[in-house]
Amino acid sequence: MAEPGHRAQHRGPEVTSLREICFRAVRKHFSALATETVLDLPAPLIKDLLPHLTICQLDELQPALNQKGISTHSEWVGVLQDMYGPNHAIDLHSEEEAKHEVMRILFPLVFYGFTNSYVKRNIRSLNSPTFLWAAAKCIQHFLLVTTLHTPLQSLTAEQWPLLNLLETRIKSVGVSQLIDLSKRTTQTGLYVLHRLLDHGVATKLVVHVQCPIVLAWLLHGRGSQYVNMELKKLMHSREASCISPATTDNTDRASCSPSLETRAADDHGDQVIPCKRSKLDSLSVEEDTSGKENFIVDPQLLCQTFTPCDDLPGGACPWGQINCLEITQCGPDCLEVLCSALPTFFCLRSLNLHTLTFRYSDVLGLARALKQLSDSSCSSLTDLCISILPNTNLLEILLDASPTVTSLHVEIHSVTLEPRFLPLHHRTADSDKPVLLLEKLKVVAEVQTDLRFLTSVLRCSPHLTSLHVAGIRLPSGSTQSKLLTTLSGSVSCQLSNPCLKMLNLEDMKLCDCLPDVLHLLEHCKLEELHLNDCRLLEKCTDKEQRLQQLVAALKTVASLHTLSLAQNRLAKNVCVLVELFSGSSASSVKRLDISSNFIQPAELLEFAKRLRTHRPPHQLTLDLRRNPGDRDPDTWNAALKRLRPFSVLLVEGWKSTDTMVDHVSNM
């Protein structure tokens, strides 16, 4: 961690030098000192000592420090700022959040031997089993890098206890590189995956590579009853070539997964258990003499091969269940494997698929597989995220196929000509549509279209609590009024979505339908409202008056605690927002985002002066990022000083040249 020179600037040079020497000595000889020795120091001295300690020392002391009422939050945030740089805002408000973020970043760097400037400066304290052990207690995601064989191999040898710990902590596993099943060194990575997914508590899988056979291996036996014939053939061919005749009968039984022909749970008698090192040595001999790479890909046999003899399970290995699946490069071949597995993937709760653009026909195939799954009473699927779709009508097709999903996120970027060659999807009248169970809906539509594809869904979603709509471009002469009136139920004054708590409208033109925005606010019970880049004041002759109207309506929403007006070019009109907290009906907003609004230092200072007069009833988290503070740093810092007593400020460095280009581009 960086040493806090500002803490010593008011002390004499002799005292400062002595303190520094003592702090460094404590850090160097920490292991020789009893923890109680440090804890017996006066609290102010402990607080000055903390920034000088290593991450492992800080982690060791934290529980006892918390009992003494001393927080380590600023030290963990200091580490993050040291890594990110001083111009990066850290929006983490608890010490556990900050510590876990530190460990999340550093664990893969240290484990795989990667580096950054922070790791280079602190390599002596980080490059140790002690740090990996401390970090493993905090992280929940493990990223598998198959090309770095040595670190993974260590988990089967000297770092075996670390693998056991990871099994109890890791909830999400990521595969970042292609796993080449034709290479014997792949076995170590497959074994680590098996331990985390099958022996451990990991239920989420994130796949970043396009390889259908690897996807089939990852899904095999972990929730779906689907058997990929290519994988089955590969498994059996590897078994036949790798297993000696003396152990063939027993290992054949152990290698049969529940989705292959037998489960042999009670056939463990007279089992010949191979010892790890002799098995690996025999494989090497076979490879050298035959010239062929004979190795195992069946998880059950991998476990017998790599697990130390003393830790071998007494029977067949368990099979994990994948509840959450994310595929970030879902090409047609991978989608084909997934669609085959989906109809019986009963334990799957969340499915997240991404590709540059799905083909229309592929999405129809996915919808058919989802329909087969949803028709089963055993289906658990509730969360669905798919991007990028080629056509808006696919939203309705996916909902028809998965009527029980409660969370849907789709991204639509271009309307292609492909649908002209495909069967048309006939829209069902709103009155004939079943009620949807949707609670969360996010639609990012970077296309020009009408709003019918969205408003028809909203009318059938009375349980909706969260709505995020971004990027919709309407035909010339149209406005977003239809969307807003659908949400507010303009005629009957009864909300179409009475449970709505979070509304996020982004990158949409709302300047020409302010009355509809005001009407919605009068009849809603929102807790979060985000109107980012909505051109609220565009083409308005009296921008201050318009903003005052919006503020008056916002004050009527008593439940509102989060408000974002980022990227609306508020500039000098930002001072109007102070009226949120004036009068007897002050707003209960606790988080206000006014980032990227081209607020000048003098305008922020005036905002700060007024806000001190009308202080918010609660501590206010104020996001001021990407505003031109460098135009007058002294005035900007003076404004920040006035705001800090009652606000948590999110600020970061500003480069006027860079941000001015962005500002002009949005004019």
Side-chain angles (χ1 to χ4, degrees), residues 15 289 300 313 350 400 439 569 575:
V15 176
T289 57
Q300 304 277 331
S350 175
D400 288 344
E439 297 175 7
R569 297 188 283 282
C575 294

Side-chain angles (χ1 to χ4, degrees), residues 50 333 430 465 548 621:
L50 293 182
D333 293 337
D430 289 351
T465 62
Q548 286 173 339
T621 297

Side-chain angles (χ1 to χ4, degrees), residues 388-622:
I388 296 169
L389 297 177
N391 197 285
T392 55
N393 72 351
L394 289 170
L395 171 65
E396 189 172 340
I397 291 175
L398 289 170
L399 281 171
D400 288 344
S402 304
T404 59
V405 296
T406 58
S407 176
L408 177 64
H409 174 188
V410 296
E411 208 164 327
I412 311 164
H413 275 202
S414 62
V415 178
T416 67
L417 297 178
E418 186 179 5
R420 62 180 288 199
F421 304 108
L422 297 171
L424 294 175
H425 177 72
H426 299 286
R427 294 182 179 273
T428 306
D430 289 351
S431 58
D432 298 329
K433 290 181 179 178
V435 172
L436 297 172
L437 301 180
L438 273 181
E439 297 175 7
K440 296 181 180 180
L441 176 62
K442 180 176 180 179
V443 179
V444 179
E446 300 292 338
V447 295
Q448 186 178 87
T449 182
D450 60 47
L451 289 168
R452 286 180 297 173
F453 81 100
L454 181 58
T455 56
S456 62
V457 171
L458 293 176
R459 292 191 186 97
C460 300
S461 305
H463 308 292
L464 199 67
T465 62
S466 174
L467 175 64
H468 184 171
V469 182
I472 293 181
R473 300 290 182 267
L474 301 179
S476 179
S478 300
T479 71
Q480 303 287 354
S481 177
K482 190 67 174 177
L483 171 62
L484 296 166
T485 55
T486 299
L487 290 172
S488 62
S490 59
V491 177
S492 62
C493 290
Q494 293 181 353
L495 290 176
S496 301
N497 311 101
C499 302
L500 195 64
K501 303 297 182 185
M502 196 285 288
L503 177 61
N504 189 337
L505 304 180
E506 181 182 358
D507 190 16
M508 298 169 63
K509 185 180 177 182
L510 297 182
C511 61
D512 47 5
C513 47
L514 181 64
D516 299 303
V517 174
L518 302 180
H519 182 78
L520 173 62
L521 292 174
E522 291 172 2
H523 296 90
C524 71
K525 297 181 180 179
L526 290 175
E527 297 176 2
E528 294 186 40
L529 176 62
H530 304 259
L531 300 175
N532 296 352
D533 194 14
C534 285
R535 281 83 84 185
L536 292 171
L537 306 182
E538 188 176 281
K539 299 179 181 179
C540 179
T541 54
D542 193 341
K543 296 181 179 181
E544 182 175 344
Q545 182 185 32
R546 170 163 292 197
L547 197 54
Q548 286 173 339
Q549 290 179 288
L550 180 61
V551 167
L554 289 168
K555 291 176 71 173
T556 66
V557 187
S559 54
L560 191 67
H561 59 69
T562 298
L563 174 63
S564 178
L565 298 174
Q567 289 182 272
N568 277 290
R569 297 188 283 282
L570 299 180
K572 63 181 180 180
N573 298 293
V574 68
C575 294
V576 175
L577 296 181
V578 174
E579 297 178 18
L580 280 169
F581 308 106
S582 65
S584 57
S585 58
S587 172
S588 56
V589 167
K590 299 178 182 178
R591 186 181 183 96
L592 178 61
D593 184 352
I594 50 175
S595 60
S596 300
N597 268 297
F598 211 68
I599 301 169
Q600 301 274 7
E603 295 158 358
L604 184 66
L605 182 60
E606 180 62 26
F607 174 82
K609 291 176 180 178
R610 295 191 190 184
L611 200 60
R612 287 188 68 178
T613 303
H614 303 288
R615 290 199 178 194
H618 309 283
Q619 186 180 56
L620 181 67
T621 297
L622 190 60

Side-chain angles (χ1 to χ4, degrees), residues 265-467:
D266 51 356
D267 293 338
H268 307 306
D270 302 324
Q271 207 168 25
V272 179
I273 300 176
C275 196
K276 179 179 73 170
R277 188 50 52 200
S278 62
K279 171 66 81 172
L280 289 176
D281 291 342
S282 67
L283 289 175
S284 299
V285 171
E286 284 185 44
E287 189 173 16
D288 291 340
T289 57
S290 68
K292 295 171 63 178
E293 293 193 4
N294 296 324
F295 56 92
I296 305 165
V297 296
D298 189 296
Q300 304 277 331
L301 293 181
L302 283 169
C303 208
Q304 292 184 1
T305 302
F306 282 91
T307 304
C309 296
D310 294 341
D311 292 292
L312 277 169
C317 293
W319 287 87
Q321 287 194 334
I322 296 173
N323 298 146
C324 303
L325 176 62
E326 180 176 356
I327 306 175
T328 61
Q329 298 182 47
C330 191
D333 293 337
C334 285
L335 188 62
E336 183 179 351
V337 171
L338 176 64
C339 288
S340 299
L342 273 178
T344 57
F345 213 148
F346 301 132
C347 64
L348 189 66
R349 294 201 305 265
S350 175
L351 179 61
N352 199 328
L353 305 177
H354 303 270
T355 193
L356 290 178
T357 301
F358 282 104
R359 296 183 305 193
Y360 195 95
S361 57
D362 286 343
V363 181
L364 294 181
L366 174 63
R368 286 191 292 270
L370 290 170
K371 178 63 175 173
Q372 288 179 269
L373 177 62
S374 67
D375 285 343
S376 169
S377 60
C378 300
S379 174
S380 303
L381 188 65
T382 56
D383 295 359
L384 183 60
C385 175
I386 302 179
S387 64
I388 296 169
L389 297 177
N391 197 285
T392 55
N393 72 351
L394 289 170
L395 171 65
E396 189 172 340
I397 291 175
L398 289 170
L399 281 171
D400 288 344
S402 304
T404 59
V405 296
T406 58
S407 176
L408 177 64
H409 174 188
V410 296
E411 208 164 327
I412 311 164
H413 275 202
S414 62
V415 178
T416 67
L417 297 178
E418 186 179 5
R420 62 180 288 199
F421 304 108
L422 297 171
L424 294 175
H425 177 72
H426 299 286
R427 294 182 179 273
T428 306
D430 289 351
S431 58
D432 298 329
K433 290 181 179 178
V435 172
L436 297 172
L437 301 180
L438 273 181
E439 297 175 7
K440 296 181 180 180
L441 176 62
K442 180 176 180 179
V443 179
V444 179
E446 300 292 338
V447 295
Q448 186 178 87
T449 182
D450 60 47
L451 289 168
R452 286 180 297 173
F453 81 100
L454 181 58
T455 56
S456 62
V457 171
L458 293 176
R459 292 191 186 97
C460 300
S461 305
H463 308 292
L464 199 67
T465 62
S466 174
L467 175 64

